[in-house]
Amino acid sequence: IWNKINNKKLSKKNYWKWNSLNLTLIVVLFFYLIFYWLIMLIFNALLKLITYPFTNFVMSHPDFIRGAITLLNAILASFLIILLLTFVFLAYFNFAKHYKVMSSWSWSFKKITGKLKLTLKIVFYGMLTYLFIGLLGLGIKNIFPAGWSTIFNVLLSLLYLAWFRIYLVKTIN
């Protein structure tokens, strides 16, 4: 797909380079999971620290507090997931141009940090679309039987990933 976006041909040599990029993705994901876990841990600790002075309110409205914390966790988690998708898709995009593994990861990192305002805009629009598709999926879940709604949700997810990849490439260029 990335070769098609960049109008490049896939050869045997390039095919094996793609495999090396995907293997390095495992290492990148490992470090990102540690980063994700630390951010979520700090965020939840801050939420507990913030709600501590309002113990009476928390005790009298536990469902509201649980729902608010779940919503805030979901927003942060979706932000971090879409940021990861942005990072990986940028690396794949650059790799399809130059076929250099480590320079693709570093280029992706530099692009995200160098154009932070643009990156945040991309992630924000990605989150809004993700939210819209999630709400659409919930609506479909209530209309169709379980098997069909699962198939529809998988198709929606694949369409979202395809859209996000194209949106990212068009916005970055």
Side-chain angles (χ1 to χ4, degrees):
I1 294 173
W2 290 105
N3 286 328
K4 188 82 169 168
I5 290 174
N6 286 322
N7 296 322
K8 296 265 189 165
K9 298 272 186 199
L10 184 64
S11 66
K12 284 184 181 182
K13 182 181 176 185
N14 294 344
Y15 174 78
W16 289 108
K17 286 184 178 184
W18 276 103
N19 287 339
S20 62
L21 178 72
N22 288 327
L23 286 174
T24 60
L25 176 62
I26 294 169
V27 176
V28 170
L29 286 176
F30 175 74
F31 285 112
Y32 194 81
L33 282 174
I34 292 171
F35 170 74
Y36 178 86
W37 178 75
L38 285 173
I39 294 293
M40 293 302 281
L41 188 71
I42 291 168
F43 183 70
N44 284 314
L46 284 174
L47 283 177
K48 285 184 181 184
L49 198 76
I50 290 170
T51 58
Y52 180 73
F54 308 103
T55 306
N56 290 337
F57 180 77
V58 171
M59 293 300 200
S60 62
H61 300 89
D63 292 335
F64 173 76
I65 297 299
R66 218 174 298 127
I69 288 174
T70 302
L71 177 66
L72 291 173
N73 277 328
I75 290 169
L76 180 62
S78 66
F79 174 80
L80 292 173
I81 289 169
I82 293 174
L83 186 64
L84 173 67
L85 280 176
T86 303
F87 181 68
V88 171
F89 285 170
L90 281 175
Y92 278 33
F93 174 69
N94 186 310
F95 183 79
K97 282 183 177 181
H98 305 289
Y99 295 109
K100 293 181 180 174
V101 175
M102 296 314 289
S103 68
S104 295
W105 293 116
S106 64
W107 180 85
S108 178
F109 185 74
K110 288 176 188 171
K111 199 69 149 174
I112 285 176
T113 55
K115 294 186 175 184
L116 194 58
K117 194 172 185 179
L118 179 63
T119 302
L120 291 175
K121 177 183 159 192
I122 290 169
V123 172
F124 177 73
Y125 286 132
M127 283 178 62
L128 285 179
T129 308
Y130 184 72
L131 174 68
F132 175 73
I133 288 176
L135 292 174
L136 188 64
L138 284 175
I140 295 299
K141 187 177 184 179
N142 295 330
I143 296 172
F144 294 109
W148 289 104
S149 66
T150 302
I151 291 169
F152 190 75
N153 283 332
V154 168
L155 288 174
L156 277 177
S157 299
L158 291 174
L159 282 172
Y160 173 77
L161 288 174
W163 168 81
F164 189 69
R165 177 179 31 237
I166 293 169
Y167 169 70
L168 179 66
V169 168
K170 298 278 186 196
T171 307
I172 288 295
N173 283 337

